[in-house]
Amino acid sequence: MPQPSRATDATHRVVPTPAGRIHLVEQGAGPLVLLVHGFPESWYSWRRQLPVLAAAGYRAVAIDVRGYGRSSKPADVTAYRMLDLVEDNVAVVHALGERTAVVVGHDWGSTIAANSALLRPDVFRAVGLLSVPYAPRGGPRPSEVFASMGGEEEFYVSYFQEPGRAEAEIEPDVRGWLAGFYAAFSADTMPAPGAPDPHFVSRGGTLRDRFPTGGLPAWLSEADLDVYAGEFERTGLSGALGRYRCMDQDWEDLAGFDGAPVTQPSLFLGGALDASTTWLAAAIDAYPTTLPGLRSLHVLDGCGHWIQQERTEEVNHHLTDWLASLPT
């Protein structure tokens, strides 16, 4: 078990990877914990975990995934396939002078973390998943699954998969769109039961049509929103949305891993009010088979999607307890 230490200030670095470069923020010394964000976020989503992990005796490193922030943003949409994102994570570990790491992800970062552990068990010795459960590759082509959802309405993933379409909605008012998107999936601001579901788009409509119109969620200050908006106003959204546009490619690339379990020691944290947790309840139920190394599972009552920001203290507690249980 690492020894608690006085946390040093966070530092920013850029390291070479197959993407070209990955920007990261690191704090602390000790065993490496790699933190991978989701959509539409950045390294900043882990701002409340970095100092806590550092104080607990870990070298905590939060990256900007390729396509985000100060990391490289390839123009070719196929550059956002899962195989490439896993290799970025491996390259970050090696660029930091380490051989192994614990990888923890939220949202899309959870899927990237799980696949990093699946494809490179030699590098990633344990995996933490936040909000999005692990579900092995299998079943029909993803685009076909998403196209079948919603009846007369369109599922948001299908909406995001069409190049340029979501950008046309988001980029004229990045800050306002992000505020609505974060609020739509936060426990304290999400639409009431029975209201139109913001995961779906009316034919001819936009996602924004269903965003709540009240204030920001409690976890998000105006200054926090400025940070997120500033990054996407500078980079645009195409890089971030590239992940959605490679899902069929991933399905083909990972055919050899159909049904494969992730066997390393693992953790899952979800929000009870998060559709990622409730819609994928069967994936959680399958963990004895698909995630046999699971050591810690907690679904937080009254919590939405942005779990490490909505419920910082609980998430930090569960993370540090789980990390302390791992062999070094």
Side-chain angles (χ1 to χ4, degrees):
M1 180 186 302
Q3 296 300 309
S5 62
R6 185 177 64 84
T8 57
D9 291 337
T11 59
H12 292 251
R13 294 177 61 182
V14 174
V15 299
T17 73
R21 67 180 182 277
I22 290 290
H23 167 249
L24 58 86
V25 180
E26 65 176 311
Q27 190 165 0
L32 177 59
V33 180
L34 186 66
L35 304 169
V36 187
H37 67 80
F39 176 89
E41 303 180 86
S42 74
W43 77 266
Y44 190 74
S45 304
W46 301 103
R47 65 195 177 281
R48 297 169 182 162
Q49 282 68 54
L50 287 167
V52 171
L53 295 180
Y58 298 95
R59 185 183 188 184
V61 173
I63 65 170
D64 281 337
V65 175
R66 81 164 62 184
Y68 290 82
R70 289 170 53 194
S71 294
S72 290
K73 180 186 168 187
D76 183 356
V77 70
T78 64
Y80 298 94
R81 64 206 296 184
M82 185 61 67
L83 294 179
D84 290 336
L85 299 179
V86 169
E87 286 309 306
D88 283 346
N89 285 350
V90 172
V92 168
V93 173
H94 292 162
L96 293 172
E98 304 284 356
R99 296 178 61 188
T100 64
V102 175
V103 61
V104 179
H106 169 255
D107 183 78
W108 261 123
S110 176
T111 306
I112 297 168
N115 280 281
S116 295
L118 176 68
L119 298 175
R120 294 301 304 267
D122 57 317
V123 175
F124 299 104
R125 61 187 181 89
V127 58
L129 311 176
L130 275 60
S131 297
V132 175
Y134 174 62
R137 187 265 187 209
R141 185 176 293 272
S143 61
E144 296 173 1
V145 175
F146 299 128
S148 70
M149 299 174 65
E152 291 301 310
E153 298 181 329
E154 184 178 16
F155 192 47
Y156 80 100
V157 175
S158 296
Y159 182 75
F160 283 167
Q161 284 180 329
E162 184 178 333
R165 189 175 174 200
E167 291 93 324
E169 174 186 345
I170 302 167
E171 291 179 357
D173 178 20
V174 170
R175 192 178 192 278
W177 192 91
L178 289 175
F181 192 81
Y182 297 144
F185 306 111
S186 297
D188 58 335
T189 49
M190 63 177 52
D197 189 337
H199 291 91
F200 294 90
V201 180
S202 299
R203 297 296 174 181
T206 66
L207 275 174
R208 189 173 192 149
D209 297 337
R210 296 186 173 183
F211 289 169
T213 57
L216 298 179
W219 62 267
L220 183 70
S221 70
E222 295 286 349
D224 293 331
L225 182 58
D226 284 342
V227 172
Y228 285 122
E231 293 291 80
F232 289 111
E233 286 168 349
R234 179 172 53 80
T235 65
L237 271 292
S238 293
L241 290 163
R243 179 81 290 278
Y244 292 93
R245 295 165 185 168
C246 282
M247 296 177 76
D248 283 353
Q249 182 66 59
D250 296 337
W251 183 80
E252 295 175 4
D253 288 341
L254 298 173
F257 293 87
D258 200 72
V262 171
T263 60
Q264 293 95 315
S266 56
L267 163 144
F268 176 75
L269 301 177
L273 301 180
D274 182 7
S276 298
T277 301
T278 58
W279 288 354
L280 294 173
I284 298 173
D285 291 341
Y287 276 170
T289 300
T290 62
L291 211 61
L294 184 68
R295 294 187 175 198
S296 181
L297 187 156
H298 303 275
V299 177
L300 307 186
D301 290 338
C303 183
H305 183 66
W306 317 103
I307 186 169
Q308 77 269 37
Q309 298 177 89
E310 289 188 53
R311 302 286 277 275
T312 297
E313 290 187 7
E314 289 168 85
V315 168
N316 289 347
H317 169 74
H318 292 309
L319 270 177
T320 53
D321 275 2
W322 171 68
L323 288 167
S325 77
L326 301 176
T328 55

